[in-house]
Amino acid sequence: MRILVTDGMDAAAMEALRAKGHEIVEQFYAPEVLGEALRNFDAVVVRSATKLRAPQLDAAEGSRLKLILRGGVGLDNIDVSHAESCGFTVKNTPKASSRSVAELAMGHMFSCARYISVAGATMREGKWEKKAYGKGIELGGKTLGIIGFGRIGQTLGAMAKAIGMEVVAQDVYHVEGIEARLGMRYVELEELLAVSDFISLHTPAIDGKPLINAETIAKMKDGAVLINTSRGNNVDEAALLNALNSGKLRAAGLDVYAEEPPMNKALLDHPAISCTPHIGAATKEAQKRIGAEIVEIIESFSKV
């Protein structure tokens, strides 16, 4: 197969594919020329930067392109239904980055609880604000509400239980037997918002209004902490900023934003924000697992 890699891929995985006889081309194309370029490949591997919408898919329809593969969990950057209507097979790698994203969410929880991000920033400014940041809280004994209890949510739940947190989860799909196995319970969203000290989002992008907005924030505990490593448009950033300014929310940990790179300086500069630049799956271990899963999918597809 002739495979286009637009957003980078683990080097070992590319070498493995070449060793199996596949041709790999690494190149990023601007949206207006991507569709025509895709006609020259049997498969394309993308991450987050490349967007495959109707114009690109229509331009590639009827060509040798058969497989669209997203190295990662979400498929928000691909119009999946349109791609399938054009005859393309769409795959992703949902298992590979679960631990990396869950660990980052946990890291933001610690950062928000103990002021790690803002305290470190003030020290680099030559300040010693021990009193200001000496009022942290412990995670043990607190309740973590996880919205979206798939692979990432379950991994985070197990970590939280290991440090003594109570875990509740909300999901449209209930995994049989998992409540006893992980020592957590499923609840409706209203209850989760009311009882959780920390709330972590692990859902796909939601159509319509954001899942976390002024209405849902009002139902949260006073002093709750919000963590978002899912999709930026799941949170109304204006409502979040208002909640931080009013003290309704203690803090928020963000890895994703409504606009990337984010231009909301008031949010990024807020002392109650712990922020990272969309690096949830950006660990060496995750990239190797993603690469290995890509190789497995391509090999399986090429033999059909």
Side-chain angles (χ1 to χ4, degrees):
M1 295 176 68
R2 190 164 193 257
I3 303 165
L4 174 64
V5 177
T6 62
D7 303 329
M9 192 169 79
D10 179 65
M14 286 192 287
E15 286 307 307
L17 288 169
R18 290 189 176 106
K20 294 176 183 294
H22 303 293
E23 179 186 355
I24 308 296
V25 176
E26 288 186 86
Q27 187 170 343
F28 179 83
Y29 287 92
E32 59 270 20
V33 297
L34 175 60
E36 191 62 32
L38 289 174
R39 301 184 65 84
N40 300 312
F41 296 90
D42 301 292
V44 59
V45 179
V46 305
R47 296 284 312 274
S48 298
T50 297
K51 308 293 189 289
L52 290 173
R53 308 300 187 199
Q56 293 79 34
L57 297 167
D58 289 342
E61 187 176 5
S63 68
R64 65 190 287 183
L65 184 71
K66 296 294 182 288
L67 175 64
I68 296 172
L69 181 48
R70 160 79 158 96
V73 178
L75 289 165
D76 304 27
N77 55 321
I78 301 170
D79 188 333
V80 177
S81 60
H82 195 83
E84 291 175 343
S85 73
C86 292
F88 306 129
T89 298
V90 181
K91 299 281 188 180
N92 66 345
T93 60
K95 298 179 289 186
S97 56
S98 297
R99 184 171 187 88
S100 295
V101 178
E103 286 191 3
L104 182 65
M106 180 65 77
H108 277 299
M109 288 165 62
F110 279 115
S111 181
C112 291
R114 299 300 303 273
Y115 307 105
I116 294 172
S117 180
V118 63
T122 59
M123 287 190 69
R124 286 189 287 275
E125 295 171 353
K127 301 175 182 177
W128 183 257
E129 301 191 7
K130 184 173 181 177
K131 288 186 178 179
Y133 301 121
K135 300 175 183 177
I137 58 174
E138 296 179 358
L139 270 61
K142 303 299 190 297
T143 297
L144 168 63
I146 300 176
I147 302 177
F149 208 57
R151 290 183 178 90
I152 297 171
Q154 291 168 31
T155 303
L156 177 62
M159 292 177 183
K161 290 293 294 183
I163 62 169
M165 299 187 80
E166 296 296 320
V167 177
V168 295
Q170 185 271 332
D171 200 303
V172 293
Y173 176 73
H174 289 192
V175 180
E176 187 176 351
I178 202 169
E179 291 180 282
R181 177 158 54 85
L182 290 186
M184 48 71 63
R185 62 188 177 95
Y186 285 108
V187 297
E188 295 301 322
L189 181 60
E190 296 274 329
E191 182 178 352
L192 184 146
L193 296 172
V195 305
S196 299
D197 302 292
F198 291 78
I199 296 173
S200 192
L201 306 183
H202 300 284
T203 67
I206 296 171
D207 293 332
K209 66 179 182 180
L211 174 63
I212 301 301
N213 52 33
E215 181 182 351
T216 49
I217 289 173
K219 297 176 181 178
M220 295 180 188
K221 267 186 170 184
D222 291 345
V225 174
L226 177 68
I227 308 295
N228 188 18
T229 57
S230 61
R231 290 294 180 264
N233 58 4
N234 282 339
V235 174
D236 181 331
E237 292 181 352
L240 173 60
L241 189 58
N242 287 337
L244 294 172
N245 286 333
S246 70
K248 170 64 178 179
L249 295 184
R250 172 190 177 87
L254 305 176
D255 185 51
V256 291
Y257 309 88
E259 179 184 12
E260 294 186 0
M263 303 301 291
N264 192 339
K265 196 170 187 303
L267 188 67
L268 298 179
D269 287 348
H270 199 285
I273 287 286
S274 172
C275 54
T276 48
H278 203 155
I279 57 171
T283 64
K284 293 179 180 179
E285 294 86 350
Q287 294 312 303
K288 287 186 179 299
R289 290 193 296 267
I290 289 171
E293 199 168 347
I294 288 172
V295 172
E296 180 182 333
I297 291 169
I298 288 175
E299 275 298 279
S300 177
F301 186 85
S302 66
K303 292 175 182 177
V304 174

